[in-house]
C-alpha cells in the first residue's frame, strides 16, 4: 500500500505532463479541423474531420508541429538550460533555502564564456571558467545565508542585482559577440539541432542535462551528503542535534548549485552563441516553478530530481503548445502562471490527504 | 455561598490520555484563588478550557450562575474571562495605548472608521490609573518598556475589557522581586474592584502572600481546597505529590563504574554533578529551573556557561554536537516534534541520522533498512515499514525511534530530557526497562524528568535544580517525594 502510494507520487509529474500533452493534442486537432472548415466553406465538422483523416500528414499541420519527433527534439533542446538550472535549485530548495539570483548567475557565466573565448582560451577552459564563476557566486550566497544567518530570500534577491551588475561590468554593458576568427567548436554546438525533422540525434547539451540529472539524483538519494540536505531542509534543529555541521553543509549546497548554474550559463552561451549580460530575466521564475511543479516543497525537506526535470519539460511543452495554437505571449504567461499556482495547490491538497 | 466562577467535575481527554479527570473549584467575587499543582497536573489544560482554546468533555462550568462554555478565546473574553499568559501577547511596535485598546479601538463609522486617538489614550490612561500606574506614557512603544511594564500593559488591556475573572499564569516567573511586589499591589487593586483572580504559581510562598484560598490539582483531579492562611505548607506539598505509586518500575541489576561525565559549575552551591558508567542519574526541577539548558550545554548545542564539563575525564573548553557524538554522548530532546525528529522523513533516516550506514559517503540502503527493522522489533515499535514517515506513528512509538537513534549511535553517555513526556503508559514502562538495560551495559544515563515517581523508581542518584543551579544531589533512596519538591521549590 505504502509502496503503491510512493509509486504514484513518483509518477504524478509524469501524469501531469501526459495530461498537458493530451490537452494540447485535442486543442490542436480541433483547431486544425476548424482551419480546414474555413478553407473549405460549407463542410460540417465531422465531414471535415473524416476528410482530414484520409491524409493526416498534410491536414493536421498544427498537431504535427506539436507531437512529431522533431517537435520533441525541440522541446528537449529548449528545456536543457532550465532543467540544469532546476537541478541546482532543487538542492537548495530541498535544504530549505532558495536562490533568486540564478538568472543573473547564468547570464554572468555566459558572458564569462564569451569573454574568455574572445581572449583566446580553449573551449574547455572557457567552460571551466564559467563553472568556477558559478561556484564562486554560489559560495558567496551560501556563506551569506549560513554565516550571517540571513534569510536566503533577501540575500539572493540582493545578489541577483549584484551579479547582474558584475555581468554588465564585465561585458561593458553590451552583448559579447564572438570575434570573427573563432571557428566552430563543440562549445558552440552544445544545443545545435541537426536534422530538425527527426527525434534522433539529440544535441550534446540534452545528453549533458540527462547525465547531470542522473548524477544529482544519485547524490541526493544515495549519498550521506544527500541525506544531510534532506535532514537540514526537513528540520534544521534535528540536523544540528544529530551532529550535522549545518552551516558548512549549506555553503557546500549553494556552491554545488552554483556549479550547475555555471553549466547552465555555458549552455545559455551555446544557444545564443554570444554572452548576454541581460539574458534570462525570467529564468529564476522558470527554474523555481519547474522544481515546485515537480513536487518540491518551498518549506524544504522534500522534492524529486525526476519531478523537477519533468517540471521544466512541462513548461517548455506549455510554451510550445501555446505557440502552436498561435496564442499570444500574454496568454502564455497567464497560463504558465496559473499552472504554477495550480501545481502548488494540488500538492498541498495531496499532502493534506495523508 | 454562591461563586462567581464554578467548575464541577470538569473532564478532558486527548485520545487515550486523560488530562483532566474531574476538577471542581469555586472562586468568589473579589477572591484571589491559587491553583497549585506539579508540572503535568492539568493546570494548563484547565486554563485552556477556561480561555476557550479547548472544550471540556464533561462537567459543568458556570460564570455568575450562567453556563459558560466558550468555543474560542474571543468568546471567553466577551463573557468576561481574561488570561494573562506567561508569554506576553503584545504587539511590540505599537504604543502602550494602541496595545491596550487592540481589538476594541474606539472609532467612528464602525470598523471602517476613523481611529479616535483621544478616546484611545483616555481609555488607556484610565485602565493604567486603576492599576495604580497612571504614569506609564501611553505613546511609548511597548518594545521600549521593561518586562514588568509590558505585563502591566497586558493587564491593563484585560482590564479595559471589564473582566469578571482574570487568570494569571506564572506571572512572576520573569520578574525581579521588586517588580513582583508591584504586581501583588496591582492584584490587590483588582481584588478591591471585585475582579475574581485565579493565580497559578509554583512558588507557594508567593501564593500565601497574594491569595485567599487554594485548590491543588494532581494528575488531573482537584484533590484539596482550603484557605491558605489556615493550611500549613507541608499539607499543601503533601497534597501536591501524595499519589499512590501505581506504576511498576522494573529494577535491572547494574553496577556503577568510573565517573564518565563531570560538570563542575563554578556558580553552583553544591559540588557539581558526576555521573558514573552504569549509573542512572535523575535530574529533577520545576519547569524553567535550567535542566534542559544544562543538558544542551553538555551536548554543545548552547555555549558553556561558567562551568567545566569533562567527558571520560577529558575536559575541553568548547564543545559541539559533532564532537560530542564522536565522544559517544547522545542527547534525546525534550521537544520531540520540533527538535527531536524529522517528522516527514522515514524511520530509517531518523534512526540512522547520527551514524548513516555508508561506505565512503555512499549509503548502503539495504543494510540501513535491515538495521531499522532490527530496531523496530527490538524496541517493539508499531510501524508498517522502515520507509514510513515517522510523523505517522503514535507519540510513544515516535519517542522509541528518537531513543533508538541514540542506541544505533551506540552512545556511552545518554542525556535523556523528559523521555516519557506525553507518551502512553505502556511505552513509558518500556522506556524505564530500556534505561535499566542501558545501565546494565555500563552506560551512563542522565535522566531529566518532572515526574517524581518515575525518578524515584528508575534512578540511582537524583539531583535537584532550582533557579538555574544544582541545589542538592543524593542517592535516590534518601529522597522522598516531599523532600524533592521542597528542594525544587527552594525551601531547603
Amino acid at each position: 500500500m505504502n509502496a503503491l502510494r510512493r509509486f504514484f507520487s513518483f509518477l504524478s509529474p509524469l501524469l501531469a505532463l501526459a495530461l498537458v500533452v493530451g490537452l494540447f493534442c485535442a486543442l490542436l486537432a480541433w483547431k486544425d479541423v476548424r482551419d480546414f472548415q474555413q478553407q473549405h466553406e460549407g463542410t460540417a465538422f465531422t465531414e471535415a474531420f473524416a476528410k482530414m483523416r484520409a491524409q493526416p500528414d498534410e491536414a493536421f499541420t498544427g498537431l504535427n508541429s506539436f507531437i512529431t519527433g522533431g517537435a520533441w527534439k525541440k522541446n528537449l533542446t529548449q528545456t536543457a538550460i532550465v532543467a540544469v538550472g532546476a537541478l541546482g535549485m532543487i538542492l537548495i530548495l530541498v535544504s530549505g533555502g532558495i536562490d533568486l539570483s540564478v538568472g543573473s548567475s547564468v547570464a554572468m557565466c555566459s558572458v564569462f564564456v564569451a569573454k574568455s573565448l574572445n581572449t583566446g582560451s580553449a573551449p574547455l577552459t572557457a567552460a571551466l571558467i564559467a563553472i568556477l564563476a558559478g561556484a564562486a557566486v554560489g559560495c558567496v550566497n551560501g556563506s551569506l545565508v549560513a554565516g550571517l544567518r540571513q534569510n536566503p530570500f533577501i540575500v539572493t534577491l540582493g545578489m541577483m542585482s549584484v551579479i547582474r551588475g558584475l555581468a554588465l561590468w564585465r561585458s561593458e554593458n553590451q552583448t559579447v559577440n564572438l570575434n570573427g576568427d573563432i571557428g566552430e567548436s563543440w562549445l558552440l554546438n552544445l544545443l545545435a539541432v541537426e536534422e530538425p525533422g527527426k527525434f534522433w540525434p539529440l544535441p550534446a547539451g540534452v545528453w549533458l542535462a540527462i547525465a547531470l540529472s542522473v548524477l544529482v539524483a544519485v547524490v541526493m538519494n544515495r549519498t550521506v551528503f544527500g541525506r544531510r540536505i534532506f535532514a537540514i531542509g526537513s528540520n534544521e534543529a534535528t540536523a544540528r542535534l544529530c551532529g550535522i555541521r549545518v552551516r558548512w553543509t549549506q555553503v557546500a549546497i549553494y556552491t554545488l548549485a552554483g556549479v550547475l548554474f555555471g553549466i547552465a550559463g555555458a549552455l545559455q552561451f551555446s544557444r545564443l552563441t554570444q554572452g548576454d549580460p541581460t539574458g534570462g530575466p525570467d529564468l529564476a521564475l522558470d527554474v523555481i516553478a519547474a522544481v515546485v511543479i515537480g513536487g518540491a516543497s518551498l518549506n524544504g525537506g522534500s522534492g524529486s530530481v525526476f519531478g523537477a526535470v519533468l517540471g521544466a519539460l512541462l513548461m517548455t511543452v506549455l510554451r510550445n503548445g501555446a505557440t502552436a495554437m498561435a496564442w499570444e505571449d500574454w496568454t502564455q504567461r497567464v497560463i504558465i502562471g496559473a499552472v504554477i499556482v495550480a501545481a502548488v495547490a494540488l500538492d498541498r491538497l495531496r499532502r493534506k490527504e495523508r | 455561598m454562591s461563586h462567581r466562577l464554578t467548575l464541577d467535575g470538569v473532564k478532558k481527554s486527548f485520545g487515550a490520555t486523560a488530562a483532566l479527570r474531574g476538577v471542581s473549584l469555586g472562586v468568589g467575587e473579589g477572591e484571589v484563588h491559587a491553583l497549585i499543582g506539579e508540572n503535568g497536573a492539568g493546570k494548563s489544560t484547565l486554563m485552556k478550557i477556561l480561555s476557550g482554546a479547548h472544550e471540556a468533555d464533561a462537567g459543568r462550568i458556570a460564570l455568575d450562575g450562567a453556563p459558560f462554555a466558550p468555543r474560542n478565546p474571543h468568546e471567553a473574553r466577551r463573557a468576561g474571562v481574561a488570561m494573562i499568559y506567561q508569554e506576553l501577547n503584545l504587539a511590540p511596535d505599537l504604543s502602550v495605548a494602541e496595545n491596550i485598546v487592540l481589538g476594541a479601538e474606539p472609532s467612528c463609522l464602525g470598523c471602517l472608521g476613523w481611529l479616535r486617538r483621544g478616546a484611545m489614550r483616555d481609555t488607556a490612561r484610565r485602565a493604567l490609573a486603576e492599576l495604580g500606574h497612571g504614569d506609564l506614557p501611553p505613546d511609548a512603544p511597548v518594545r521600549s518598556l521593561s518586562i514588568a511594564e509590558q505585563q502591566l500593559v497586558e493587564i491593563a488591556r484585560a482590564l479595559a475589557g471589564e473582566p469578571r475573572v482574570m487568570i494569571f499564569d506564572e506571572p512572576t516567573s520573569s520578574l525581579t522581586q521588586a517588580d513582583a511586589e508591584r504586581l501583588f499591589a496591582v492584584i490587590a487593586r483588582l481584588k478591591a474592584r471585585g475582579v475574581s483572580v485565579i493565580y497559578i504559581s509554583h512558588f507557594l510562598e508567593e501564593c500565601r502572600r497574594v491569595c485567599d484560598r487554594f485548590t491543588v490539582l494532581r494528575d488531573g483531579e482537584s484533590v484539596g481546597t482550603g484557605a491558605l492562611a489556615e493550611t500549613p505548607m507541608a499539607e499543601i506539598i503533601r497534597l501536591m505529590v501524595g499519589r499512590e505509586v501505581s506504576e511498576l518500575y522494573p529494577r535491572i541489576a547494574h553496577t556503577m563504574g568510573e565517573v564518565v561525565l563531570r560538570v563542575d559549575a563554578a556558580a553552583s552551591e553544591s559540588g557539581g554533578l558526576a555521573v558514573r558508567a552504569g549509573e542512572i542519574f535523575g535530574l529533577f526541577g520545576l519547569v524553567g529551573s535550567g535542566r534542559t539548558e544544562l543538558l544542551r550545554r553538555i551536548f554543545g548545542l548552547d555555549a558553556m556557561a561558567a562551568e567545566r564539563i569533562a567527558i571520560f575525564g577529558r575536559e575541553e573548553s568548547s564543545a559541539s554536537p559533532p564532537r560530542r557524538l564522536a565522544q559517544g554522548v547522545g542527547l534525546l530532546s525534550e521537544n520531540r516534534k520540533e527538535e527531536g525528529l524529522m517528522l516527514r522523513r522515514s524511520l530509517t533516516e531518523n534512526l540512522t541520522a547520527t551514524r548513516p550506514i555508508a561506505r565512503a559517503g555512499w549509503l548502503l540502503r539495504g543494510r540501513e533498512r535491515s538495521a531499522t527493522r532490527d530496531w523496530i522489533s527490538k524496541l517493539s515499535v508499531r510501524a508498517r515499514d522502515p520507509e514510513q514517515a515517522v510523523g505517522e506513528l503514535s507519540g510513544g512509538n515516535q519517542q522509541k525511534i528518537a531513543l533508538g537513534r541514540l542506541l544505533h549511535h551506540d552512545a556511552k553517555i545518554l542525556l535523556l530530557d523528559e523521555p516519557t513526556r506525553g507518551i502512553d503508559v505502556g511505552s513509558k514502562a518500556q522506556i524505564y526497562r530500556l534505561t535499566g538495560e542501558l545501565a546494565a551495559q555500563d552506560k551512563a544515563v542522565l535522566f531529566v524528568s518532572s515526574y517524581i515517581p518515575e525518578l524515584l523508581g528508575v534512578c540511582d542518584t537524583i539531583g535537584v535544580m532550582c533557579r538555574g543551579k544544582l541545589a542538592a544531589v543524593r542517592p535516590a533512596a534518601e529522597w522522598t517525594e516531599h523532600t524533592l519538591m521542597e528542594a525544587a521549590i527552594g525551601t531547603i
Side-chain angles (χ1 to χ4, degrees):
Chain A
M1 185 61 209
N2 208 31
L4 201 70
R5 192 188 290 170
R6 266 205 301 279
F7 183 65
F8 272 113
S9 81
F10 179 75
L11 273 188
S12 62
L14 203 60
L15 290 174
L17 183 65
L19 191 75
V20 168
V21 170
L23 197 68
F24 270 114
C25 286
L27 279 171
L28 286 165
W30 179 77
K31 179 172 176 285
D32 285 339
V33 177
R34 293 306 295 264
D35 288 350
F36 187 86
Q37 277 180 298
Q38 275 191 349
Q39 283 163 22
H40 309 78
E41 266 177 66
T43 19
F45 189 87
T46 42
E47 193 189 339
F49 188 67
K51 277 186 186 165
M52 290 167 77
R53 287 275 304 273
Q55 39 180 341
D57 286 351
E58 290 92 64
F60 288 101
T61 44
L63 186 60
N64 285 334
S65 74
F66 181 68
I67 54 161
T68 52
W72 277 97
K73 176 193 273 193
K74 194 172 111 197
N75 283 340
L76 291 178
T77 310
Q78 288 176 357
T79 305
I81 295 169
V82 174
V84 173
L87 292 176
M89 188 62 75
I90 195 165
L91 295 169
I92 295 174
L93 273 186
V94 167
S95 79
I98 195 163
D99 189 347
L100 300 177
S101 69
V102 47
S104 310
S105 297
V106 167
M108 185 190 81
C109 293
S110 78
V111 168
F112 275 44
V113 175
K115 273 288 192 185
S116 42
L117 282 180
N118 276 350
T119 51
S121 304
L124 188 64
T125 322
L128 284 178
I129 284 171
I131 290 170
L132 267 178
V137 167
C139 188
V140 170
N141 276 333
S143 307
L144 289 172
V145 169
L148 298 179
R149 301 214 180 176
Q150 289 299 306
N151 184 320
F153 193 92
I154 296 303
V155 167
T156 56
L157 190 67
M159 286 300 285
M160 180 170 98
S161 179
V162 170
I163 299 162
R164 184 71 73 187
L166 288 179
L168 286 165
W169 164 69
R170 197 75 189 86
S171 65
E172 288 142 9
N173 293 320
Q174 54 199 349
T175 49
V176 182
N177 291 309
L178 289 181
N179 296 343
D181 53 354
I182 295 172
E184 286 288 295
S185 80
W186 59 268
L187 190 53
L188 285 164
N189 290 327
L190 278 175
L191 291 176
V193 173
E194 288 164 39
E195 301 190 46
K198 288 193 216 147
F199 188 68
W200 305 107
L202 290 173
V206 171
W207 288 113
L208 178 67
I210 292 170
L212 286 172
S213 308
V214 173
L215 189 72
V216 172
V218 165
V219 166
M220 290 196 77
N221 298 311
R222 292 284 188 276
T223 68
V224 174
F225 179 70
R227 184 63 61 79
R228 288 185 184 152
I229 300 176
F230 278 102
I232 292 173
S234 57
N235 193 337
E236 205 178 308
T238 313
R240 204 162 277 132
L241 183 77
C242 291
I244 295 171
R245 294 181 198 277
V246 172
R247 295 201 241 169
W248 284 116
T249 313
Q250 280 176 329
V251 174
I253 290 167
Y254 279 89
T255 309
L256 193 59
V259 167
L260 288 159
F261 298 156
I263 296 174
L267 287 174
Q268 173 90 323
F269 161 81
S270 183
R271 182 163 94 189
L272 305 171
T273 61
Q274 62 183 17
D276 182 2
T278 59
D282 288 342
L283 195 63
L285 170 84
D286 287 0
V287 164
I288 294 170
V291 178
V292 171
I293 288 173
S297 160
L298 280 172
N299 298 322
S302 69
S304 112
V305 172
F306 180 67
V309 172
L310 282 187
L313 185 59
L314 182 76
M315 288 205 300
T316 313
V317 169
L318 272 176
R319 288 225 166 87
N320 288 343
T323 310
M325 286 296 291
W327 290 340
E328 285 174 66
D329 181 55
W330 67 266
T331 329
Q332 297 184 24
R333 283 173 187 266
V334 169
I335 288 172
I336 286 170
V339 165
I340 294 168
V341 176
V344 177
L346 266 178
D347 191 52
R348 168 142 291 191
L349 218 67
R350 209 178 60 199
R351 266 172 231 277
K352 240 183 202 156
E353 271 171 22
R354 291 192 177 182
Chain B
M1 171 180 151
S2 80
H3 286 127
R4 154 90 32 105
L5 178 71
T6 318
L7 278 72
D8 187 16
V10 173
K11 291 181 183 161
K12 175 76 190 175
S13 297
F14 298 100
T17 341
L20 295 181
R21 297 192 289 185
V23 175
S24 302
L25 146 90
V27 188
E29 186 177 328
E31 176 188 329
V32 183
H33 194 99
L35 191 64
I36 302 169
E38 278 189 280
N39 304 331
K43 288 172 298 183
S44 53
T45 310
L46 188 61
M47 290 309 106
K48 281 180 179 157
I49 288 173
L50 287 177
S51 67
H54 290 325
E55 273 183 85
D57 297 338
R60 279 193 308 279
I61 308 176
L63 186 63
D64 282 331
F68 174 67
R71 277 166 305 180
N72 54 52
H74 189 64
E75 274 191 19
R77 264 201 305 278
R78 285 243 303 251
V81 175
M83 282 283 302
I84 307 294
Y85 291 97
Q86 207 170 344
E87 303 290 326
L88 299 176
N89 288 307
L90 295 170
D93 293 311
L94 297 187
S95 73
V96 168
E98 281 165 336
N99 267 288
I100 289 175
V101 301
L102 201 63
E105 289 88 348
S107 66
C108 318
L109 306 166
C111 67
L112 277 173
W114 192 259
L115 186 63
R116 286 158 54 205
R117 295 202 157 260
M120 178 179 85
R121 277 197 205 94
D122 288 345
T123 311
R125 268 200 211 99
R126 220 177 309 122
L128 286 168
E130 277 189 60
L131 297 173
H133 288 267
D135 53 331
L136 213 60
D139 292 321
V142 159
R143 191 186 287 287
S144 68
L145 305 182
S146 73
I147 296 283
E149 287 169 330
Q150 293 190 7
Q151 194 180 41
L152 266 174
V153 173
E154 180 116 16
I155 297 170
R157 175 163 74 191
L159 198 62
E162 300 290 328
R164 292 189 270 182
V165 179
M166 275 179 84
I167 304 169
F168 288 82
D169 185 11
E170 298 280 352
T172 58
S173 60
S174 48
L175 299 187
T176 62
Q177 193 60 42
D179 286 332
E181 292 296 331
R182 276 191 279 277
L183 175 71
F184 299 158
V186 165
I187 290 176
R189 277 172 176 265
L190 291 172
K191 179 179 155 73
R193 229 177 153 254
V195 177
S196 304
V197 174
I198 297 180
Y199 190 90
I200 303 172
S201 178
H202 282 309
F203 301 108
L204 294 185
E205 286 299 339
E206 200 175 287
C207 293
R208 191 176 283 278
R209 283 209 41 203
V210 186
C211 306
D212 308 309
R213 298 196 316 127
F214 69 90
T215 296
V216 175
L217 284 192
R218 189 177 70 216
D219 296 339
E221 276 179 287
S222 42
V223 291
T225 184
L228 269 160
E230 293 156 19
T231 317
M233 188 81 93
E235 171 66 11
I236 296 176
I237 292 182
R238 193 192 64 74
L239 284 171
M240 284 167 76
V241 298
R243 66 173 86 67
E244 291 167 51
V245 179
S246 55
E247 283 148 308
L248 203 82
Y249 300 99
R251 297 297 299 193
I252 294 164
H254 52 271
T255 48
M256 290 188 224
E258 296 283 298
V259 171
V260 292
L261 167 65
R262 182 187 291 282
V263 181
D264 292 317
S268 161
E269 288 154 0
S270 68
L273 171 156
V275 188
R276 296 168 179 279
E279 179 180 18
I280 306 173
F281 190 108
L283 207 49
F284 181 66
L286 302 174
V287 166
S289 59
R291 296 166 300 167
T292 297
E293 290 77 3
L294 176 65
L295 252 55
R296 293 175 72 86
R297 289 199 300 271
I298 294 175
F299 192 63
L301 270 168
D302 294 335
M304 280 185 214
E307 67 206 339
R308 303 206 312 262
I309 297 168
I311 307 276
F312 294 114
R314 279 190 55 160
E315 197 185 307
E316 279 160 40
S317 54
S318 70
S320 67
R323 173 80 190 127
R324 287 297 187 232
L325 284 164
Q327 287 174 312
V329 184
L331 173 68
L332 180 80
S333 170
E334 65 167 342
N335 196 340
R336 189 172 60 232
K337 287 188 179 354
E338 267 144 45
E339 182 173 44
L341 293 170
M342 301 174 272
L343 293 176
R344 282 179 300 159
R345 306 305 301 174
S346 69
L347 302 189
T348 306
E349 276 174 64
N350 275 286
L351 256 172
T352 62
T354 58
R355 193 169 68 82
I357 302 177
R359 189 179 296 134
W362 189 265
L363 294 169
L364 306 170
R365 305 231 304 188
R367 278 178 52 192
E368 275 190 337
R369 259 196 292 275
S370 67
T372 308
R373 269 193 211 98
D374 284 351
W375 285 116
I376 287 176
S377 71
K378 267 187 219 161
L379 301 170
S380 35
V381 177
R382 273 167 194 264
R384 281 197 314 271
D385 73 312
E387 295 302 305
Q388 192 180 357
V390 78
E392 294 172 11
L393 305 186
S394 75
N397 287 308
Q398 286 183 11
Q399 190 71 334
K400 286 186 222 165
I401 295 293
L403 193 57
R405 181 193 296 149
L406 272 60
L407 304 183
H408 174 75
H409 188 78
D410 198 21
K412 303 288 188 292
I413 301 173
L414 294 96
L415 312 173
L416 309 183
D417 198 354
E418 301 279 4
T420 62
R421 173 184 285 176
I423 66 176
D424 57 295
V425 177
S427 301
K428 274 186 186 174
Q430 255 184 298
I431 285 177
Y432 299 144
R433 176 175 297 280
L434 196 63
T435 312
E437 284 169 3
L438 288 168
Q441 292 162 27
D442 269 345
K443 290 175 175 165
V445 181
L446 188 54
F447 193 105
V448 167
S449 173
S450 301
Y451 187 57
I452 296 179
E454 74 178 15
L455 284 169
L456 290 175
V458 172
C459 302
D460 304 309
T461 315
I462 300 175
V464 178
M465 286 191 77
C466 180
R467 296 172 204 264
K469 289 175 186 165
L470 195 63
V473 179
R474 288 184 213 161
E478 292 175 24
W479 287 106
T480 64
E481 300 204 2
H482 200 105
T483 52
L484 275 172
M485 187 52 84
E486 278 181 338
I489 292 169
T491 51
I492 56 167

